[in-house]
Amino acid sequence: MSQLEAGLRKAAGVVLAALVLVALWALAAAALSKPFLPGPALALAAFWRLASNGTLGLHAGASASRVLWALAVSFVPAATLGLAAGRSPRLDAVVSPLVYILHPLPKAAFLPIILLVFGLGEASKIFLVGLIVFSQILVSARDSARRVPRQLIDSVRSLGASRLELAVLVVVPASLPDLLTSLRVSLGTAVAVLFLAETFATVTGLGYLIVDSWSRVAYAEMYAAIIALSLLGLGLFAAVDAAERLLCPWHSYRT
Amino acid sequence: MVELRKLAVDYPRGSGRSADRVRVPAVAGADAVFNSGGISAIVGPSGCGKTSLVHAVAGLLVPSSGEALIDDRKVAGVRAKTAVIFQDYGLLPWRTVEGNAELPLALAGLGRAERRSRVGPLLEELGLAAFRDFYPAKLSGGMKQRVAIARALAAEPDLLLMDEPFSSLDALTREAAQEFLLEVRRSRPLTILVVTHSIEEAAYLAETVFVMSGRNPGTIRERFDVPENAAAARFAPGSRRDDFRATPRYLKLCAAIRSSLRGAGPTEDGATS
Ligand SMILES: Nc1ncnc2c1ncn2[C@@H]1O[C@H](COP(=O)(O)OP(=O)(O)OP(=O)(O)O)[C@@H](O)[C@H]1O
Ligand SMILES: [Mg+2]
């Protein structure tokens, strides 16, 4: 009912925004009429061609798998460490200084070093993206765990809950909406950094496809790949939204 | 029977993370006896240490000196038969009414069917059966209050500690909640300790009213016995009584408690006398 309605309205908003973007793009292309900015029609045709011969699927699959692996290896450790640090002053005394050093670092700039350490294969790309997700989730998990109302902790403690039970029953659910929000934010960064990582030492991934078609002066294909990368980002966003609806049914009622 | 002997509570100054060893006293030298099966009340100005005192009885904190005893045993940590109701109800927003009410049973390791069969009648009794699948955010203050009571009763406690349980309710809901509490007490043997800001509430509910005063530390300064509110007179089967609040004795009691509070050091806005 109202939830479905809200979902539809959101989808309609996304479609509308996309239409406006495409219209602006068409205008700009017509006004400039330069080869590096083909109109949306050409780009969509290229998108269709690459999608149907499997090229896009291959590259998008490679990119998606890198992001998902990066998430898989970084989210849970970062969330666990962050939540624990937020609740334990002793652990926080170790973690917080680490965060202050790690968080503001321009991690993408370390790509050359990461390539040296982890080699030219998948590991270094996953590591770079994972590092970015890790530090953002860590910070927001810590802050979120600190904000858990004391009274909520006390009230469950008064029922005889152990520390582990407190973590599972109170700290994790209280922080989950914040964690998902910061996941959304870090996904945006992750996709941007993924592009950078895929311009080195690989022949798969949408980042590679963008740079490759650029060097071949195949501008329509380049835009097709950019569209695919945007869609990948959008899909990840939608997945986090779906996860939130599934995991925090109580949360939509709060506003 | 609950007994406080020279109970003192203090807190580390600051956030508690620094190595600062200076501690701020919250309660000192509090002596009191709360009769079994009766309702006792604690009244006192903001910051005089009421919550600290309740937390000490609940075993949520360790007294800095002195002790709290329940049935002659020193409180050392949380006790299964003590239930606490917090000012903001302490309900978990991500659990439904039923999920909140059965929390103590879940923590005790009871299976789902057993939990349901024990909580079901309670929700029925408290008029919450139709709302069992609601999240707390959807409930009115009075209903949240009843969910908190359901959760407290689910563990079948013998001692119920309530920290300003009714203070965020509007006047009518508050009166209903007071009646409701008396009803709850009538139907099961329970020792109840209520912290309240309201003199009228204390005088209406409690057979013993303790007045706290002072600040950093606060202490229990005076005690008023209200035999009209004694458990034997009120909760015995078949006992009925007229509204105590309509009697001159009630008004005099309120006035006495009020003047005790007035003479009790810092006032509500923190000005020292
Ligand atoms: N966790 C804490 N850390 C440090 N100081 C605290 C803490 N809790 C309470 N205090 C201090 O202890 C004193 C008593 O606090 P307490 O909450 O017990 O008072 P109260 O009578 O319940 O007040 P209120 O009516 O506002 O609820 C206050 O001066 C308060 O600043
Ligand atoms: Mg208090």
Side-chain angles (χ1 to χ4, degrees):
Chain A
M1 331 166 309
S2 77
Q3 216 173 356
L4 181 69
E5 232 169 68
L8 284 177
R9 197 169 310 150
K10 203 162 166 186
V14 171
V15 168
L16 192 69
L19 285 179
V20 170
L21 210 63
V22 168
L24 286 175
W25 176 5
L27 276 176
L32 277 175
S33 71
K34 288 273 164 52
F36 63 77
L37 189 60
L42 280 174
L44 287 175
F47 185 90
W48 184 248
R49 199 174 61 246
L50 292 180
S52 43
N53 72 15
T55 313
L56 273 187
L58 171 80
H59 292 292
S63 291
S65 122
R66 283 168 191 148
V67 174
L68 292 177
W69 271 110
L71 280 183
V73 297
S74 64
F75 183 83
V76 171
T80 312
L81 189 61
L83 292 179
R87 297 308 312 172
S88 153
R90 241 184 302 161
L91 186 60
D92 193 35
V94 181
V95 170
S96 273
L98 212 73
V99 164
Y100 281 106
I101 296 171
L102 188 67
H103 195 52
L105 281 186
K107 283 156 225 67
F110 286 79
L111 181 58
I113 299 169
I114 294 171
L115 287 174
L116 285 176
V117 175
F118 288 90
L120 299 175
E122 290 298 284
S124 55
K125 294 170 186 63
I126 290 171
F127 183 83
L128 178 63
V129 176
L131 192 63
I132 283 164
V133 175
F134 186 88
S135 93
Q136 279 184 9
I137 299 292
L138 181 66
V139 171
S140 86
R142 184 200 58 180
D143 294 349
S144 184
R146 276 186 192 160
R147 278 197 304 268
V148 177
R150 191 195 169 83
Q151 196 176 129
L152 232 44
I153 302 268
D154 279 341
S155 97
V156 178
R157 208 152 63 85
S158 78
L159 302 174
S162 64
R163 281 184 78 104
L164 181 65
E165 285 166 330
L166 278 177
V168 173
L169 291 170
V170 185
V171 179
V172 169
S175 310
L176 206 49
D178 285 348
L179 288 180
L180 292 173
T181 297
S182 75
L183 182 59
R184 249 182 235 119
V185 173
S186 54
L187 274 177
T189 332
V191 169
V193 171
L194 179 71
F195 165 76
L196 184 70
E198 286 182 341
T199 57
F200 288 91
T202 180
V203 290
T204 56
L206 292 169
Y208 163 77
L209 187 60
I210 291 169
V211 174
D212 180 58
S213 38
W214 175 55
S215 64
R216 286 186 283 110
V217 204
Y219 287 120
E221 285 185 21
M222 183 178 88
Y223 281 94
I226 292 175
I227 293 172
L229 192 58
S230 312
L231 287 178
L232 178 63
L234 187 70
L236 291 170
F237 254 64
V240 177
D241 276 358
E244 172 152 28
R245 266 197 304 281
L246 201 71
L247 295 173
C248 314
W250 55 278
H251 192 239
S252 54
Y253 296 125
R254 216 167 51 168
T255 41
Chain B
M1 188 179 73
V2 180
E3 204 181 340
L4 309 182
R5 286 191 194 148
K6 298 264 167 289
L7 182 80
V9 174
D10 59 24
Y11 295 100
R13 179 146 59 192
S15 67
R17 188 140 71 97
S18 57
D20 197 352
R21 305 233 162 242
V22 185
R23 296 181 71 88
V24 183
V27 180
D31 286 301
V33 172
F34 311 124
N35 290 337
S36 289
I39 302 181
S40 304
I42 295 179
V43 290
S46 268
C48 69
K50 304 182 293 296
T51 298
S52 307
L53 193 148
V54 167
H55 281 206
V57 176
L60 288 170
L61 55 79
V62 183
S64 51
S65 69
E67 55 192 4
L69 299 132
I70 298 174
D71 294 332
D72 297 321
R73 290 171 66 173
K74 187 174 169 168
V75 175
V78 169
R79 173 177 170 272
K81 292 248 167 243
T82 301
V84 191
I85 293 182
F86 295 81
Q87 180 168 356
D88 293 327
Y89 317 119
L91 301 177
L92 299 180
W94 41 89
R95 286 190 157 236
T96 60
V97 165
E98 184 174 42
N100 268 289
E102 67 176 26
L103 194 54
L105 305 179
L107 283 167
L110 265 62
R112 193 183 173 78
E114 169 86 24
R115 296 200 304 259
R116 293 207 148 197
S117 71
R118 296 220 345 222
V119 162
L122 257 180
L123 294 180
E124 205 74 58
E125 178 187 349
L126 300 185
L128 292 166
F131 302 95
R132 68 175 72 231
D133 295 323
F134 280 50
Y135 288 100
K138 281 264 192 169
L139 304 178
S140 70
M143 275 158 73
K144 283 187 210 165
Q145 176 68 60
R146 276 180 280 153
V147 179
I149 292 178
R151 189 179 82 178
L153 296 179
E156 295 178 351
D158 57 19
L159 174 62
L160 181 58
L161 308 173
M162 307 175 90
D163 190 3
E164 298 187 32
F166 307 135
S167 58
S168 41
L169 302 179
D170 63 83
L172 277 179
T173 314
R174 184 176 188 139
E175 282 190 14
Q178 292 167 359
E179 290 313 317
F180 188 74
L181 179 66
L182 294 175
E183 210 44 59
V184 162
R185 167 59 191 85
R186 209 185 306 280
S187 56
R188 41 175 83 58
L190 255 182
T191 306
I192 299 176
L193 175 60
V194 186
V195 167
T196 174
H197 270 135
S198 160
I199 294 164
E200 288 75 16
E201 184 165 276
Y204 178 59
L205 291 177
E207 64 175 52
T208 319
V209 179
F210 294 90
V211 175
M212 283 187 78
S213 70
R215 184 171 198 150
N216 301 113
T219 193
I220 292 179
R221 136 152 348 183
E222 207 168 339
R223 141 182 199 156
F224 294 87
D225 287 307
V226 193
E228 292 87 341
N229 287 339
R234 239 186 335 177
F235 304 126
S239 66
R240 274 255 134 251
R241 63 164 196 171
D242 300 327
D243 193 342
F244 178 44
R245 286 171 295 196
T247 63
R249 156 83 180 131
Y250 171 77
L251 296 177
K252 272 171 83 177
L253 178 65
C254 288
I257 298 174
R258 184 167 288 114
S259 74
S260 169
L261 274 168
R262 283 251 170 77
T267 51
E268 291 285 325
D269 51 6
T272 29
S273 54

